[in-house]
Amino acid sequence: MRIRATVAAVSGALALSALAVPAVQADEKPEAGFSVPSGADVFAAEPGAPAADARAARAVETPVIKKVVVNGGKNIVVGTKSKQKFTIAITASSPSGIEDAFAYLWHGHVDEVDGFLGPTQEFGSCKVSADPTTSTCTVSITVDPRSEDLYTSGLAGTWNVAAGALAATGGKEDFIWSDAHAKARVQRFSKLTVNASPEPVKKGKTLTVTGKLTRANWDTKTYKGYTNQPVKLQFKKKGAKSYTTVKTVKTSSTGTLKTTVKASADGYWRYSFAGTSTTPAVSAKGDFVDVK
């Protein structure tokens, strides 16, 4: 039976590397020196299997990967405590059908991997489509921010998706593999607060709206202010269905927000952040202000 030992070894080695260099900063990437596991590593037969002889005896059947979908097409957002589970679905076809498919996420350079998120399951869970030559196989990955899966905030952003499929010929050499078949984003969970005061306030008087934008820091496992980011101050009049943007405010060096407006009507005030490649969009829960 196939054991994906190389995949597990890379994940474990990266964790040990991270523990050995705890001083890595968010804007630095350690030169781990680990290479991306290849298709041969993933789909190889048991040691000593006559793969070369099989290749010589017949033409190799190479599957075609039609689609790879990570986390249902959504970004993977990770905080500081809760485990996050997501799937990678690989749709592939081959004349004899698909026996198995596999995928994982990696970060860095193909020969210097500094981040790795892989499944713990041995095989993909495959479902044959109406066309017997085509199957969609799914693997599940769990990210634990309290472990060394994400040991530094510098890993936030775009990751590579390695994916492959194995034809149902019984020959372990009949596979296709791509080290970077697709891209996926792994982001730092964000939080946003708002407080409008005084409450109540007289019409025409000054209303001060404060708040704070924070995001997960994977180095310290805490939430830190997101600095120098444009955030929209929005208002929804009582009875209205949607918010309108009043102005844009930038966060301070600690992620705080503060601005003033003139009170004109009863309604809800909130801050709204559009997000970046490393941090998802977030909106604060509206703060209702009664205007007298």
Side-chain angles (χ1 to χ4, degrees):
M1 178 178 290
R2 169 169 48 79
I3 302 296
R4 293 186 168 107
T6 304
V7 175
V10 170
S11 182
L14 282 170
L16 290 173
S17 176
L19 289 170
V21 286
V24 171
Q25 298 300 311
D27 58 351
E28 297 176 351
K29 297 175 183 178
E31 295 184 0
F34 303 111
S35 298
V36 172
S38 68
D41 294 325
V42 173
F43 294 119
E46 294 288 350
D53 292 341
R55 284 180 178 272
R58 62 172 177 79
V60 173
E61 183 177 315
T62 304
V64 174
I65 297 177
K66 294 187 171 182
K67 184 170 59 175
V68 174
V69 179
V70 180
N71 197 33
K74 300 177 182 179
N75 294 334
I76 302 156
V77 181
V78 184
T80 61
K81 294 181 180 179
S82 300
K83 294 179 181 180
Q84 298 299 318
K85 184 177 181 179
F86 65 94
T87 61
I88 305 178
I90 310 103
T91 301
S93 65
S94 198
S96 63
I98 297 297
E99 177 183 328
D100 188 21
F102 200 69
Y104 57 80
L105 268 59
W106 63 275
H107 186 276
H109 186 272
V110 67
D111 292 321
E112 290 184 355
V113 177
D114 60 6
F116 186 91
L117 298 174
T120 55
Q121 68 201 78
E122 179 69 10
F123 297 94
S125 176
C126 298
K127 182 177 181 180
V128 181
S129 70
D131 176 359
T133 67
T134 303
S135 293
T136 297
C137 303
T138 303
V139 296
S140 298
I141 299 174
T142 300
V143 187
D144 185 354
R146 296 167 297 180
S147 71
E148 296 305 322
D149 288 342
L150 298 171
Y151 58 88
T152 176
S153 296
L155 293 175
T158 302
W159 286 55
N160 295 291
V161 184
L166 179 67
T169 60
K172 296 303 182 182
E173 70 280 358
D174 294 335
F175 66 84
I176 187 171
W177 184 262
S178 174
D179 290 335
H181 186 84
K183 302 287 185 182
R185 278 185 176 176
V186 180
Q187 297 181 310
R188 301 160 62 180
F189 189 86
S190 55
K191 298 179 180 182
L192 185 56
T193 63
V194 68
N195 182 57
S197 63
E199 301 176 50
V201 63
K202 290 184 178 180
K203 187 174 182 178
K205 293 297 183 180
T206 298
L207 191 66
T208 300
V209 187
T210 59
K212 189 171 186 178
L213 175 63
T214 59
R215 59 178 179 165
N217 184 307
W218 295 332
D219 299 77
T220 61
K221 313 304 180 187
T222 58
Y223 282 83
K224 300 289 185 182
Y226 198 4
T227 67
N228 198 36
Q229 295 300 309
V231 179
K232 293 179 180 179
L233 174 65
Q234 299 181 325
F235 178 70
K236 182 174 71 172
K237 191 174 181 179
K238 184 179 180 180
K241 293 184 178 180
S242 60
Y243 281 88
T244 57
T245 298
V246 177
K247 64 171 72 175
T248 298
V249 185
K250 277 199 171 184
T251 58
S252 70
S253 60
T254 58
T256 59
L257 293 154
K258 184 177 182 179
T259 190
T260 58
V261 292
K262 295 295 183 181
S264 60
D266 292 352
Y268 299 85
W269 291 92
R270 75 174 186 183
Y271 280 116
S272 183
F273 174 59
T276 63
S277 62
T278 62
T279 309
V282 62
S283 294
K285 183 179 179 181
D287 185 18
F288 182 78
V289 175
D290 181 17
V291 177
K292 300 294 187 181

